[in-house]
Amino acid sequence: MYDVHSVREDFPVLKEVIYLDNAATTQTPVPAVKAMDEYFFKYAGNHGRGAHRLARETTNHYEDARENVADFLNADVKKTIFTRNATEGINVIARGFPWEDGDHVIVTLVEHHSNLLPWMRLRKEGVDLTIVKPDATGVVDPEDIASAVTERTRLIAITQVSNVFGSIQDVSRVIRTARREDVRVLVDGSQSAGHMAVDLGSMDPDFFVTPGHKGLLGPQGTGVLYIREPDLIEPLFLGGGMVRAVTDLDYEIEASPSKFEAGTPNMPGAIGLGRAVEYVKDIGVKNIERHELALAKDAARRLAAIEGVEVYGPKERASVVPFNVTGMNAHDVAMILDQTRKICVRSGYHCAIPGIGFLGVDGTVRASFALYNTQEEVDKLIETVLNVAAFVA
Ligand SMILES: Cc1ncc(COP(=O)(O)O)c(C=O)c1O
């Protein structure tokens, strides 16, 4: 185990607030911020462009960061692409996949809008879409996905951990079945990477996306896209940094990952992310998972025991705990938690209107945990929700 109190020293804002909105974005540790600081103050140049020392040093740090991230996810470094966020990665696949009229895509109802809208847009362009429903706790049965597969199915897009329910999907089973049918699988790891062990070598998805700014503790504006067969996908953006040769008639695209990183990349962000991933690795993702799950389990159990509070999601949950106080709007609850105890939680639809609609509510309050949260913080959350629920009773 690690000492959560010494970890908290690396996140100064935690002295000011109780931060339980980690499913939206996490805080970034001091060593990662220092790595970005060093980029700006010691060697800022452009990546892959130019022979001078600052350009070379920037390129080396940027590529080292890629190696750190690839190593952390157990992915081939040449197939590990930096993006702005998870959303960008999903859109790169949705736009770059070699679709044919009548092709079929399967998604689930628990997806974040970022893993729903890009596929819904394809429906307007001649691709069929099936949306598979979960059970009442947000768990999708892999058998239901398997039975939705037709001979025209080309891709299944599924989140590993739902940001609405906190449910964990058996993506490995979905991938194994899909591979037998020659169907590709995109795994949205936005709520899993950094929170639980993610080994792309053994999971073996065709595509995997994660933001850098959630469980990986990197800065906002960073993300990672893994593509198992980079030759399959047309790049979304064309321009500098991704071509090998250009004539006035044609151009020749670089191999992955450059192929997918047109234009000046977010060098400080990627470098900060590389350092943040090292930080996570040093603490150990298994330790982080154990810590977060214990907090989430305790919070869910104690919230559910409060009269007038309903908790959503399965018993075996990830570190996401959605709930509502009967008779109160989720935003009002979140506002009271902040105003009275500086407790920061998310409220509303969580960018997943269909998933929230499936719950039959008008939004939820969502407490989500990270490696730096403590039992005392859970106690304060419970105490405050108890007071709010007693007030409306
Ligand atoms: C499950 C899931 N997928 C995708 C996203 C989108 O991530 P980003 O905003 O970094 O693109 C989120 C963000 O909350 C998410 O929870």
Side-chain angles (χ1 to χ4, degrees), residues 23 85-87 112 114 159 163 188 190-191 211 213-214:
N85 45 42
T87 306
H112 188 280
S114 293
T159 189
N163 66 316
D188 176 356
S190 297
Q191 299 295 345
H213 64 92
K214 297 192 198 268

Side-chain angles (χ1 to χ4, degrees), residues 41-280:
F41 293 138
K42 295 200 175 147
Y43 62 88
N46 209 333
H47 167 262
R49 298 161 170 79
H52 65 77
R53 66 190 62 211
L54 297 191
R56 284 202 318 268
E57 197 166 345
T58 293
T59 303
N60 291 342
H61 281 278
Y62 183 84
E63 294 305 330
D64 286 350
R66 192 194 310 279
E67 275 183 27
N68 280 347
V69 171
D71 180 59
F72 180 75
L73 296 172
N74 191 22
D76 182 338
V77 71
K78 293 197 174 67
K79 302 177 178 181
T80 304
I81 296 139
F82 283 127
T83 58
R84 282 184 304 141
N85 45 42
T87 306
E88 182 177 317
I90 296 166
N91 276 276
V92 165
I93 303 307
R95 298 320 285 170
F97 195 87
W99 303 113
E100 285 173 20
D101 226 26
D103 280 347
H104 177 229
V105 172
I106 300 172
V107 294
T108 85
L109 196 72
V110 305
E111 304 306 318
H112 188 280
H113 293 158
S114 293
N115 198 26
L116 202 53
L117 272 55
W119 315 114
M120 287 174 116
R121 172 160 71 179
L122 286 174
R123 193 161 51 181
K124 296 182 189 162
E125 297 167 9
V127 171
D128 287 332
L129 183 67
T130 299
I131 303 179
V132 175
K133 287 199 179 114
D135 70 10
T137 66
V139 177
V140 181
D141 186 342
E143 286 300 320
D144 290 345
I145 295 179
S147 21
V149 171
T150 72
E151 59 188 21
R152 295 306 308 268
T153 307
R154 303 287 303 282
L155 189 131
I156 299 165
I158 181 168
T159 189
Q160 192 170 10
V161 170
S162 162
N163 66 316
V164 173
F165 297 84
S167 48
I168 303 165
Q169 314 300 350
D170 189 350
V171 292
S172 292
R173 195 163 142 211
V174 172
I175 292 165
R176 277 198 305 277
T177 314
R179 187 94 5 109
R180 283 202 294 274
E181 307 280 341
D182 201 22
V183 173
R184 290 183 169 80
V185 179
L186 180 146
V187 175
D188 176 356
S190 297
Q191 299 295 345
S192 57
H195 292 291
M196 58 174 66
V198 170
D199 180 328
L200 296 188
S202 62
M203 183 196 289
D204 202 21
D206 297 282
F207 313 105
F208 182 88
V209 298
T210 176
H213 64 92
K214 297 192 198 268
L216 300 183
L217 307 183
Q220 289 69 32
T222 62
V224 182
L225 164 66
Y226 164 81
I227 306 182
R228 195 167 70 92
E229 305 153 281
D231 291 345
L232 182 74
I233 302 295
E234 265 291 302
L236 181 57
F237 301 112
L238 302 185
M242 54 82 73
V243 283
R244 191 174 291 146
V246 187
T247 66
D248 54 358
L249 293 176
D250 207 356
Y251 55 87
E252 195 186 325
I253 292 175
E254 280 279 11
S256 177
S258 304
K259 170 179 176 180
F260 299 103
E261 293 183 0
T264 297
N266 178 2
M267 284 99 48
I271 288 163
L273 173 59
R275 183 64 189 90
V277 162
E278 263 180 347
Y279 184 91
V280 172

